[in-house]
Amino acid sequence: MSTEVPVAVVTGSSSGIGRAVAQRLLADGWQVVGVQRGSADIDHPAFSALPCDLSVGIEVDDLVGKLGTPQAVVHASGVLRPAALGAMDADDGALMWRLHVDATTRLANALLPRMASAGEGRMVLIGSRVSGGMPGRSQYAASKAALIALARSWGAEVAARGVTVNVVSPAATDTAMLADPARASTQPKLPPMGRLIRPEEVAALVAFLVSDAAAPITGQDIQVCGGSSLPK
């Protein structure tokens, strides 16, 4: 990275994993631009917030015109609308696709070429261990699985130009999403480690992936699962 203070764009910075990532990067000396719908409650001289509903394409297109060429982009904004066969809602599925896939695509289409031209950059997408498939989560799983294919494809396009693209996929994480009334009937299963993943643990991995030391790592889906993905 350059010797100037690096700039990271972090979506979903008002809560959960996005907020933890923003706080970790600020502690590591980054300047952070938070993209969020909620109010900005991070009080730090190197933090600024831009309002945007990332599920609305025209708002995302307007947003990228304001971002310049950041050194890192972390797309942590997300939503979960669980539903089993026979109860799936097309609008819920479309919302998850717009927020997880379409918004990511619009951000990458504008920002990755800028980073590639600058010869440096990191993009980290927050996926989910559910991307491998789970009963009652098919629409969510599909949108998160798409992130892996996108990261591998984009990573291959920009690998020779100093830019990496990776996915971090947590198991059930202790965030406000768990308290969402929309998932009241589908409580998370604890990982074998016996507790939920903590947002700051996910943020620690993201912080490494956007560092200089992670330059050789690209196109990967790295699970933070507390043992959930291990053979039984």
Side-chain angles (χ1 to χ4, degrees):
M1 298 289 181
S2 65
T3 56
E4 297 181 2
V5 177
V7 176
V9 174
V10 180
T11 72
S13 55
S14 61
S15 64
I17 292 173
R19 190 174 194 276
V21 169
Q23 291 177 313
R24 173 58 188 263
L25 295 185
L26 288 166
D28 287 351
W30 288 73
Q31 179 180 338
V32 176
V33 178
V35 178
Q36 55 193 52
R37 292 181 61 186
S39 58
D41 63 348
I42 295 178
D43 184 13
H44 193 286
F47 179 81
S48 59
L50 289 175
C52 181
D53 184 343
L54 289 160
S55 69
V56 179
I58 193 170
E59 290 196 28
V60 183
D61 291 342
D62 181 62
L63 169 74
V64 295
K66 304 173 183 176
L67 294 178
T69 305
Q71 281 69 51
V73 178
V74 182
H75 185 38
S77 185
V79 66
L80 170 61
R81 295 290 184 267
L85 284 168
M88 290 189 292
D89 183 89
D91 289 339
D92 284 346
L95 171 62
M96 288 185 282
W97 193 265
R98 291 196 308 271
L99 186 56
H100 301 155
V101 182
D102 185 62
T104 302
T105 302
R106 291 172 187 268
L107 290 168
N109 194 48
L111 300 180
L112 283 178
R114 296 179 199 170
M115 288 191 274
S117 294
E120 62 176 3
R122 305 280 185 264
M123 180 172 239
V124 179
L125 311 177
I126 302 301
S128 171
R129 197 186 77 82
V130 174
S131 63
M134 180 177 288
R137 301 282 198 278
S138 58
Q139 292 166 298
Y140 179 77
S143 69
K144 291 296 188 176
L147 296 182
I148 300 171
L150 292 174
R152 289 181 60 82
S153 301
W154 297 335
E157 289 189 43
V158 296
R161 304 178 70 185
V163 181
T164 67
V165 187
N166 290 290
V167 180
V168 170
S169 293
T173 304
D174 189 9
T175 69
M177 185 183 287
L178 297 187
D180 190 331
R183 64 174 296 171
S185 62
T186 56
Q187 292 304 305
K189 182 179 179 181
L190 287 181
M193 70 185 297
R195 64 167 174 81
L196 298 172
I197 307 300
R198 297 178 181 127
E200 58 268 25
E201 293 169 331
V202 182
L205 177 56
V206 173
F208 172 70
L209 289 174
V210 301
S211 72
D212 289 341
I217 303 171
T218 194
Q220 303 303 305
D221 174 32
I222 305 173
Q223 298 199 6
V224 184
C225 67
S228 296
S229 62
L230 296 175
K232 294 184 174 67

